[in-house]
Amino acid sequence: MKDPELDDIPGTTVFTGEQSRKGFALNQFCMSLLKPENRERFKADESAYLDEWPLTPAQCQAVVDRDWNAAIAEGGNIYFLAKIFATDGTSFPAAVSTMVGMTAEEYVAMMIAGGRSPEGQRSIKEGR
């Protein structure tokens, strides 16, 4: 069931039950990367490994492009997607900084300072 209030948060995709169902195969693919032999197979031939999973074309493209915002829109959960970051040898701050258009250093500094500012747009439908 969609919750219009959760869909009204600017710049945020809330991981709901609906998102969980949408991204089930994507998140299972990510979890498969916990096994060293699967990481090696993925790194050797990403396309062949992805073809083994019932992912949508949009989910596959998000993984290939390492487009984390698109992956989340397709039901990916950031904690599952972190398995791809780790497989790539990318730190969590370096990966998620790309989601907000920052360098890893800028992202870490923002988080140490308390995170994103609560100022700004708070509702898409109300434009406030």
Side-chain angles (χ1 to χ4, degrees):
M1 176 188 315
K2 287 187 86 67
D3 184 332
E5 286 191 34
L6 296 179
D7 292 338
D8 192 40
I9 304 170
T12 300
T13 301
V14 178
F15 193 71
T16 60
E18 182 180 356
Q19 282 296 104
S20 176
R21 288 185 293 280
K22 181 179 183 180
F24 182 77
L26 174 60
N27 293 318
Q28 289 298 301
F29 151 75
C30 292
M31 286 302 292
S32 77
L33 298 176
L34 287 175
K35 293 182 178 178
E37 62 270 23
N38 291 340
R39 287 193 299 272
E40 290 309 313
R41 290 178 50 227
F42 178 63
K43 288 168 31 177
D45 188 343
E46 286 189 15
S47 181
Y49 192 74
L50 286 169
D51 284 346
E52 296 176 19
W53 294 88
L55 305 179
T56 67
Q59 290 171 332
C60 281
Q61 196 62 53
V63 171
V64 169
D65 293 345
R66 303 304 195 262
D67 183 341
W68 310 124
N69 287 322
I72 287 175
E74 292 301 318
N77 176 292
I78 195 69
Y79 298 105
F80 291 103
L81 296 173
K83 301 341 180 226
I84 303 173
F85 312 162
T87 299
D88 289 343
T90 303
S91 71
F92 197 92
V96 298
S97 69
T98 65
M99 298 170 72
V100 291
M102 295 179 163
T103 66
E105 294 77 18
E106 290 169 335
Y107 180 82
V108 169
M110 175 188 72
M111 295 307 287
I112 290 172
R116 277 195 296 186
S117 170
E119 303 299 322
Q121 188 179 18
R122 309 298 292 169
S123 169
I124 296 170
K125 68 182 174 198
E126 295 177 13
R128 59 174 177 90

